[in-house]
Amino acid sequence: MSKTCWLLYDAPDLAVNRDYAALMQKTGLRYGLAIEAVTLQELTLGMDAAGQPTMLRNGQPDRPDAVLSRMRLDWISEHMERMGIPVFNNSKVCRICNDKRRTHLFLQGLPMAETVFLDGSCGITSAPASYPRVLKPADGHGGESVQLIADQNAWQETAGKLLAGDKRPALHQAVVSQPGRDLRVYVLFGQILAGVLRTAKAGVVSNFKLGGSVELHPLTDAERALAESVIRRFEAAGAPLCMAGVDLLYTEEGPVISEVEDVVGSRMLYQVSDIDLVDLYLKG
């Protein structure tokens, strides 16, 4: 008997990831998994009179055997877990990874670029003491709204829109010694699967879908040791990285942590290798 799995998306994200969803569905059949793409917009979550969590899908009670999460709201993952539904990655991973400030706090003691946390409600105070700096939204992903800030005028213009206008939480960081170059370490069930080196076409945003070039990269001892330290930290906190990306930057002293991607993309891994990430994930 096949198990029912929801591939859970926010509707706008599903709209641009239909091919990935189709690949998951097709691959799942090999392993007795009936995978269905489901959007947050179809769900109604709440509590009943006895204080137990409830869930409706399109107005009717429904629940899967497991959820493969491709969304970034940790409370939704926690709600399903409280109903006894396994969620991958779990709600703790979702909570830690989808606010970059929280990620840095969680990884306290590991090497990272010097960083200042910003709250959108506080306007554009906490301006950098020196430039250049990298400004990014704390809840961003895929390189979205990441900006290289060259001077005070650029800070006022860019930070003013992000913080004072959009009221988004953010952070700014020291520019590392190799800006526009980073390493995505793919992690599958707590083990390092592969490394992909990304280089920006211009500026500091190296994401593949935004034009960055990619190449398969054998990890150095230092890169592997740092990535494994991150994996162990998550494991010890009850937040195992089932399928995730540990992103590293480069300084003159060696690699440092950039962020950890919960809803990790796989396009570039398929581009540079014959590793079938989806097959390995669903088989696992």
Side-chain angles (χ1 to χ4, degrees), residues 220-243:
T220 66
D221 290 345
E223 292 162 353
R224 181 173 295 277
L226 183 53
E228 288 177 343
S229 294
V230 172
I231 293 168
R232 288 195 299 270
R233 182 74 60 90
F234 274 85
E235 186 75 32
L241 298 178
C242 296
M243 183 167 70

Side-chain angles (χ1 to χ4, degrees), residues 79-99:
H79 186 97
M80 293 180 173
E81 289 166 351
R82 287 177 179 271
M83 294 181 68
I85 302 168
V87 180
F88 307 94
N89 292 309
N90 71 24
S91 61
K92 291 181 180 179
V93 176
C94 187
R95 180 173 182 267
I96 294 165
C97 294
N98 289 297
D99 184 328

Side-chain angles (χ1 to χ4, degrees), residues 4-261:
T4 301
C5 296
W6 286 359
L7 186 62
L8 188 61
Y9 279 98
D10 188 40
D13 287 336
L14 177 58
V16 296
N17 285 284
R18 292 286 183 184
D19 289 345
Y20 181 81
L23 176 61
M24 292 283 280
Q25 291 169 325
K26 180 180 178 181
T27 305
L29 296 176
R30 301 176 192 164
Y31 303 108
L33 302 175
I35 296 176
E36 185 175 3
V38 175
T39 65
L40 300 179
Q41 288 73 14
E42 297 174 55
L43 303 180
T44 303
L45 308 182
M47 308 294 285
D48 65 18
Q52 297 303 312
T54 61
M55 180 166 61
L56 303 178
R57 181 183 177 197
N58 296 322
Q60 299 296 319
D62 196 2
R63 58 178 292 152
D65 294 308
V67 169
L68 310 177
S69 178
R70 304 295 293 177
M71 59 89 203
R72 299 174 175 85
L73 296 175
D74 62 280
W75 72 268
I76 292 178
S77 295
E78 182 179 351
H79 186 97
M80 293 180 173
E81 289 166 351
R82 287 177 179 271
M83 294 181 68
I85 302 168
V87 180
F88 307 94
N89 292 309
N90 71 24
S91 61
K92 291 181 180 179
V93 176
C94 187
R95 180 173 182 267
I96 294 165
C97 294
N98 289 297
D99 184 328
K100 293 177 175 57
R101 299 167 302 176
R102 196 180 302 279
T103 306
H104 285 288
L105 287 170
F106 177 74
L107 296 174
Q108 176 184 348
L110 297 179
M112 58 187 70
E114 182 266 316
T115 301
V116 174
F117 300 150
L118 304 168
D119 186 334
S121 65
C122 70
I124 56 173
T125 57
S126 302
S130 62
Y131 297 91
R133 300 287 287 188
V134 175
L135 175 69
K136 60 180 76 172
D139 58 353
H141 56 90
E144 175 250 340
S145 296
V146 176
Q147 299 284 340
L148 180 63
I149 309 298
D151 53 34
Q152 182 69 21
N153 289 335
W155 167 262
Q156 291 293 332
E157 179 181 351
T158 304
K161 180 180 185 304
L162 181 66
L163 299 173
D166 296 342
K167 301 293 186 184
R168 292 182 73 179
L171 49 84
H172 63 75
Q173 294 180 310
V175 176
V176 296
S177 60
Q178 298 183 43
R181 183 170 179 262
D182 71 356
L183 177 67
R184 163 69 52 81
V185 180
Y186 281 91
V187 179
L188 193 64
F189 300 113
Q191 301 296 318
I192 293 174
L193 181 64
V196 176
L197 192 65
R198 309 187 294 188
T199 304
K201 188 174 183 179
V204 295
V205 181
S206 61
N207 299 71
F208 180 50
K209 68 178 182 180
L210 298 180
S213 62
V214 294
E215 59 183 292
L216 199 64
H217 175 78
L219 270 63
T220 66
D221 290 345
E223 292 162 353
R224 181 173 295 277
L226 183 53
E228 288 177 343
S229 294
V230 172
I231 293 168
R232 288 195 299 270
R233 182 74 60 90
F234 274 85
E235 186 75 32
L241 298 178
C242 296
M243 183 167 70
V246 176
D247 292 350
L248 306 181
L249 299 171
Y250 294 96
T251 70
E252 293 178 356
E253 291 74 30
V256 298
I257 295 161
S258 173
E259 58 191 77
V260 181
E261 194 73 21

